[in-house]
Structure formats: structure tokens, C-alpha cells
């Protein structure tokens, strides 16, 4: 049997932003799916103020992989140490560090270190992991640099909102409608095409054509992670419309003593560079926020109403 060798990688970027801003972005892992292209969803399982345990779903060489990691946060040194507890195949062990060094009042350097092993040090597996680590690290650092350098406008560029409907029917049927996306082109009027795969139960990779109010068609690609026992489906667009830099969201079905509420939640990062190209020369960030809110809210509400109808159709009201 070959000896398992520890492989190491180093990636770094210089950022025209204060070190505290950069550390703030890397320490808030739950928001990574909105900030970092490879990340699909992050669940914080434990947190005691200094350390946290995370379940992460992310794209690696185009494939959705999931693992559990523990992170140690050190805001004083602006350093985050991480170690995977349950790595995704072919990784046997992986860890590393995020390190932020101040280079001046408005400049900093961010270094991302990885170390990993694979079973039997198989050369093909080593190459696969190294390629995924290199691609994702470069993507994360580049996106983080751009976000940090416009940190003063992030609150304007990010919007989060939700819509909901009240359902007089079983939560299971409402969830069933939201889960069975293969049926949506026949049931949801604004969807003209939807192709998806579900190679792993509960992880759906989809491509969809959506008709807008003005008759145009947008093609998006998304990954959905489904939690049927919790009544939740989280999603991340991996190919977005021109006006949107990143889009994450969640469908949730919440029963209570008197019925069920179904929610659609969205978080969007606007693509500032494309606002005037899409909405006209007089458009601004406020107008783009309204446009995205109305478009997504209209489609979400239509889908929620259909989930309501589906659930209530099985209930005989006396």
C-alpha cells in the first residue's frame, strides 16, 4: 500500500479594503453561498463563540459534494483554522487556514492554505482534489476581493425578502409540490422548460427557462438541497440572469396548531455593472432592487399559490 502523503496548496490575494472587513467576510460562513460561487449551502450545526461546526455543500469540479467541518475563529489574529470531520470522497483528510494580514489602513493580504490526503495517495485522486481546490480557492478569493473592495455599498447591493401563503391542508402535500420540480413545466405557467438530475437523494441539479412579465425568457441553473423531515428546500443559482451576481433562497413548510404557512425566501446580490445595461441609462441601485424584488416575488407567489392549491385539493372542507 502506498504511503499517504500530505499535499499542500497556498493561494493569496491583495485586497484594497481594511483587514477587518476581509476577516468579517470569511468568518460569516453561513453567507458564503451568496458570496462565493462554489458554495451551495452552509448549515451552522454548532457555535460557542470561538469554534463552530458546519455542514457544507459545494461544487467541486462541477460535482456537488458535501462534508462537515469544524472551524476555530480568532478575530484578534484575524485567522480562521478549519478541519474537515467527514470529508467527501476521495479526500481522506483536509484542513487549512484563512489568514488576513493588514498591509495598511485600506489594504490587506488574504492567504488561504490547504493540506489534504487521499487514500493510497492515488495520483488521479490527488490531481482531482488539487484541481478542485485550486479552482475553488481562486474563485473564492477573487470574489471576496471584489466584495471587500465595495464593502461600503454591500448593504445596497444585497437584498433579502420573503413571501408566504397560508395553507388549509397537509404540510406533506405542500412540500410534495415544491419537491417535485420535474412536474413544474406542466403546472407552473411561468416555467417553460426544466431539466434536472437527482443522482444523490435530495440533491437536485437543474436548468430552467422562466418567462418574465414582458415575454422574455431567462435561463438559469441551480442546485437544490432538500430536507424533507424539516420541510425545507434550499437553493442556489449557479447560472444567473444578467442583473443578478448571486441568488440563494429557501422554500419552507411550517405547520402550526391551526394550519400551515409556506414561505419563499430569497437573498440576492445585484450585479452593479449591468444595471444600466439591463434597465436603461437612468436606472440606479434602488430601481434594480425594486425590479428584482417584484420579479422574484411575482414568480414565488405564483408557485406558492399553486402549492397551496395542491395541498388543499386533497382536503374536503365540511
Amino acid at each position: 500500500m502506498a504511503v499517504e502523503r500530505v499535499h499542500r496548496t497556498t493561494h493569496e490575494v491583495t485586497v484594497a479594503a481594511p483587514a477587518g472587513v476581509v476577516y468579517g467576510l470569511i468568518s460569516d460562513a453561513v453567507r458564503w453561498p451568496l458570496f462565493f460561487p462554489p458554495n451551495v449551502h452552509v448549515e451552522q450545526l454548532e457555535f460557542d463563540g470561538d469554534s463552530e461546526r458546519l455542514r457544507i455543500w459545494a461544487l467541486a469540479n462541477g460535482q456537488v459534494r458535501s462534508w462537515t467541518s469544524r472551524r476555530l475563529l480568532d478575530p484578534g489574529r484575524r485567522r480562521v483554522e478549519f478541519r474537515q470531520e467527514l470529508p467527501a470522497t476521495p479526500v481522506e483528510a483536509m484542513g487549512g487556514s484563512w489568514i488576513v494580514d493588514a498591509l495598511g489602513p485600506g489594504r490587506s493580504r488574504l492567504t488561504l492554505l490547504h493540506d489534504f490526503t487521499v487514500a493510497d495517495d492515488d495520483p488521479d485522486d490527488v490531481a482531482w482534489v488539487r484541481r478542485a481546490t485550486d479552482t475553488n480557492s481562486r474563485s473564492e478569493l477573487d470574489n471576496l476581493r471584489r466584495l471587500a473592495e465595495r464593502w461600503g455599498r454591500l448593504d445596497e447591493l444585497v437584498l433579502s425578502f420573503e413571501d408566504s401563503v397560508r395553507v388549509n391542508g397537509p404540510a406533506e402535500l405542500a412540500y410534495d409540490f415544491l419537491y417535485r420540480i420535474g412536474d413544474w413545466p406542466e403546472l407552473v405557467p411561468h416555467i417553460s422548460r426544466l431539466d434536472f438530475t437527482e443522482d444523490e437523494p435530495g440533491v437536485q441539479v437543474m436548468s430552467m427557462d422562466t418567462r418574465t412579465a414582458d415575454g422574455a425568457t431567462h435561463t438559469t441553473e441551480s442546485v437544490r438541497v432538500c430536507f424533507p423531515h424539516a420541510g425545507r428546500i434550499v437553493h442556489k443559482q449557479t447560472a444567473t440572469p444578467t442583473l443578478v451576481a448571486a441568488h440563494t433562497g429557501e422554500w419552507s413548510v411550517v405547520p402550526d396548531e391551526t394550519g400551515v404557512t409556506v414561505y419563499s425566501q430569497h437573498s440576492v446580490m445585484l450585479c452593479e455593472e449591468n444595471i444600466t445595461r439591463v434597465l436603461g441609462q437612468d436606472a440606479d441601485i434602488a430601481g434594480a432592487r425594486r425590479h428584482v424584488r417584484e420579479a422574484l416575488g411575482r414568480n414565488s407567489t405564483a408557485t406558492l399559490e399553486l402549492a397551496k392549491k395542491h395541498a388543499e385539493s386533497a382536503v374536503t372542507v365540511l
Side-chain angles (χ1 to χ4, degrees):
M1 179 179 295
V3 176
E4 294 177 7
R5 186 163 64 91
V6 177
H7 301 267
R8 304 182 188 277
T9 65
T10 301
H11 297 85
E12 65 178 35
V13 65
T14 300
V15 185
V21 170
V22 176
Y23 178 82
L25 290 171
I26 65 172
S27 65
D28 190 3
V30 173
R31 299 190 75 187
W32 281 6
L34 190 62
F35 293 157
F36 296 161
N39 288 267
V40 172
H41 181 60
V42 177
E43 292 263 324
Q44 188 182 66
L45 305 177
E46 301 172 14
F47 181 59
D48 64 7
D50 296 316
S51 66
E52 62 182 348
R53 191 163 169 263
L54 305 171
R55 178 80 186 274
I56 299 171
W57 287 260
L59 293 169
N61 294 333
Q63 302 174 21
V64 181
R65 297 297 176 99
S66 178
W67 62 89
T68 303
S69 286
R70 187 167 292 279
R71 303 204 314 166
L72 182 63
L73 292 85
D74 187 343
R77 298 170 62 210
R78 290 190 290 267
R79 188 178 183 119
V80 178
E81 309 282 350
F82 60 89
R83 182 66 51 184
Q84 293 185 6
E85 294 183 329
L86 297 173
T89 305
V91 175
E92 286 222 322
M94 177 172 281
S97 306
W98 296 86
I99 305 168
V100 185
D101 294 309
L103 301 179
R107 292 183 69 247
S108 54
R109 180 175 58 246
L110 174 60
T111 304
L112 175 56
L113 307 176
H114 284 92
D115 60 78
F116 68 89
T117 64
V118 302
D120 299 331
D121 205 39
D122 180 86
D124 290 339
D125 287 343
V126 170
W128 191 95
V129 175
R130 188 176 290 278
R131 184 168 68 253
T133 302
D134 183 65
T135 301
N136 285 6
S137 296
R138 292 179 186 277
S139 174
E140 290 169 351
L141 292 182
D142 183 61
N143 219 52
L144 190 144
R145 177 187 57 78
R146 288 188 282 112
L147 289 172
E149 290 180 351
R150 61 181 64 177
W151 65 276
R153 302 195 306 284
L154 276 187
D155 287 345
E156 296 179 79
L157 295 172
V158 174
L159 64 151
S160 298
F161 57 91
E162 72 175 26
D163 298 293
S164 66
V165 298
R166 191 70 177 161
V167 177
N168 183 24
E172 294 80 8
L173 286 180
Y175 183 87
D176 178 68
F177 181 90
L178 298 172
Y179 176 80
R180 290 189 296 106
I181 55 172
D183 297 338
W184 282 11
E186 299 176 2
L187 301 174
V188 182
H190 62 265
I191 295 176
S192 58
R193 179 194 62 86
L194 193 153
D195 301 316
F196 83 102
T197 58
E198 190 171 351
D199 296 332
E200 177 184 344
V203 179
Q204 300 172 335
V205 180
M206 57 186 277
S207 173
M208 178 173 68
D209 290 342
T210 303
R211 283 187 290 266
T212 60
D214 60 4
T217 299
H218 289 305
T219 299
T220 58
E221 296 175 4
S222 302
V223 177
R224 307 203 319 168
V225 182
C226 306
F227 304 91
H229 297 298
R232 300 171 60 216
I233 299 172
V234 300
H235 54 89
K236 158 79 176 270
Q237 281 190 351
T238 53
T240 58
T242 308
L243 191 57
V244 175
H247 176 199
T248 64
E250 178 174 336
W251 303 96
S252 54
V253 180
V254 183
D256 57 37
E257 296 82 359
T258 60
V260 175
T261 304
V262 185
Y263 297 90
S264 174
Q265 299 169 307
H266 296 275
S267 291
V268 174
M269 170 78 70
L270 296 174
C271 186
E272 186 175 11
E273 296 82 357
N274 291 333
I275 290 176
T276 55
R277 181 157 73 92
V278 175
L279 300 179
Q281 290 301 314
D282 295 330
D284 56 12
I285 293 176
R289 290 172 66 92
R290 289 192 298 272
H291 177 87
V292 170
R293 172 65 177 97
E294 291 169 4
L296 287 177
R298 182 169 53 247
N299 287 349
S300 291
T301 300
T303 304
L304 289 172
E305 291 291 346
L306 291 169
K308 170 185 172 74
K309 180 179 178 181
H310 178 74
E312 293 181 346
S313 67
V315 178
T316 302
V317 180
L318 299 178

